[in-house]
Amino acid sequence: MKHLFVLLLIWISAATAFAQELYVNTEPASNMATNSLGIRVENQGYFKPDFRNRSTVELMYGASKNLMVHGSLYESNFNTNNSHFEGGSVYAKYRFLSVDSVQRHFRGAFFAKLAAINNPVINQEISLEGDNSGVQGGVVFTQLLHKLALSGSASYIRGFNNTGNQVPDGYARNAAAWSLSAGYLLFPKNYTNYKQTNVNLYFELLGKANPGYGQGYADAAPAVQFIFNSVLRLDFSYRTPLWNDMTRNSKNMYLIRLEYNLFNIF
């Protein structure tokens, strides 16, 4: 009975206090619960000039209250005529700052990502989500204010030669990325139990630039999210350019994601 009560507290915490921090296009400074496992299946793509899409399978693990790790595999037809396995990436985030009070907190975290991809390099954007091999490192800060969560990140990306495909001459190997995110817990208005469906609204600004090349973009990415029984999450998002001076796959892209979380698995 005691273990069941503890599990309920974890569910309630995940469903209420941090729901509006579960951004769709970015990661917050907060981590998932210790000894929890998340399984994501995601599809994103565009319809013009023809339909192209990428599918991702991702596993996430809460190693401790300060450390979480992700592993992702990618498959798409973005850069080739036929859909194929593109490679994978690993991601880690370490929370170094936590200032907590009632219904609010401020968090800071470092994050790093490493990707090995086999696609030909045809875009100016350095993207470690299936397009480019490389490494990324950055920092993210998140402020929770009752039902509103605000977050910002900045990072550096270094592109490597892809497996079997070199970066062409004249293409950038260094990039700077940034994001600004806001999330609002719309429903439930009053929380009574962990089975209530959560509805979260998000608006995110996503940007990237290749220093010295005059290439960059800034996207607006509104999103809606549903959380069922505190363990099943469904995301919908669409990003569109506010301005764009970079050839890339991520322009005018939809995203659909299904995520299931297992708590206290060890």
Side-chain angles (χ1 to χ4, degrees):
M1 190 68 180
K2 179 180 178 181
H3 293 297
L4 178 60
F5 179 72
V6 171
L7 187 57
L8 284 175
L9 289 179
I10 294 174
W11 271 333
I12 290 170
S13 175
T16 56
F18 312 122
Q20 60 272 46
E21 291 183 47
L22 301 176
Y23 302 109
V24 177
N25 293 281
T26 60
E27 283 284 333
S30 298
N31 288 333
M32 61 194 305
T34 303
N35 291 332
S36 62
L37 179 69
I39 305 168
R40 285 179 175 174
V41 179
E42 175 183 295
N43 182 263
Q44 54 184 325
Y46 54 83
F47 296 95
K48 294 180 180 181
D50 56 352
F51 177 62
R52 300 274 177 157
N53 73 104
R54 169 174 288 136
S55 295
T56 304
V57 177
E58 183 174 2
L59 295 180
M60 308 173 295
Y61 176 64
S64 70
K65 68 177 183 178
N66 293 324
L67 177 65
M68 65 180 296
V69 293
H70 297 205
S72 300
L73 298 175
Y74 307 100
E75 178 267 339
S76 87
N77 63 348
F78 277 165
N79 297 335
T80 58
N81 291 326
N82 298 316
S83 186
H84 71 287
F85 173 70
E86 300 173 296
S89 67
V90 291
Y91 169 94
K93 180 174 58 179
Y94 180 79
R95 188 180 72 189
F96 65 86
L97 176 66
S98 182
V99 181
D100 297 328
S101 60
V102 178
Q103 293 188 324
R104 63 174 57 200
H105 62 235
F106 183 70
R107 302 277 168 82
F110 296 117
F111 64 89
K113 189 169 189 175
L114 177 67
I117 304 298
N118 60 23
N119 277 321
V121 180
I122 62 176
N123 292 308
Q124 294 171 338
E125 180 185 19
I126 303 174
S127 169
L128 305 189
E129 287 72 52
D131 294 313
N132 301 85
S133 298
V135 63
Q136 180 179 13
V139 62
V140 56
F141 293 95
T142 302
Q143 173 74 70
L144 175 69
L145 300 168
H146 191 32
K147 292 188 176 184
L148 176 67
L150 304 172
S151 191
S153 73
S155 62
Y156 164 77
I157 307 171
R158 172 69 178 179
F160 302 150
N161 290 330
N162 284 3
T163 305
N165 296 277
Q166 293 189 346
V167 177
D169 292 339
Y171 276 55
R173 288 180 176 267
N174 302 285
W178 60 269
S179 69
L180 296 172
S181 304
Y184 185 77
L185 177 63
L186 188 63
F187 296 111
K189 296 296 186 181
N190 296 300
Y191 186 80
T192 57
N193 65 77
Y194 69 87
K195 292 186 177 182
Q196 288 177 279
T197 298
N198 284 46
V199 181
N200 300 303
L201 299 180
Y202 296 96
F203 184 80
E204 300 184 76
L205 296 174
L206 312 171
K208 197 172 288 183
N210 295 338
Y213 286 80
Q215 300 163 354
Y217 69 82
D219 287 352
V224 61
Q225 178 184 84
F226 303 90
I227 301 176
F228 306 98
N229 293 325
S230 299
V231 295
L232 182 63
R233 167 182 161 187
L234 181 61
D235 299 340
F236 299 96
S237 178
Y238 186 82
R239 58 189 292 179
T240 186
L242 297 176
W243 64 272
N244 181 72
D245 190 16
M246 179 182 286
T247 59
R248 56 193 175 107
N249 290 323
S250 56
K251 182 181 177 183
N252 295 316
M253 180 179 288
Y254 74 83
L255 183 152
I256 302 172
R257 178 189 295 129
L258 187 66
E259 177 182 322
Y260 188 80
N261 288 279
L262 300 167
F263 295 106
N264 201 30
I265 60 173
F266 296 114

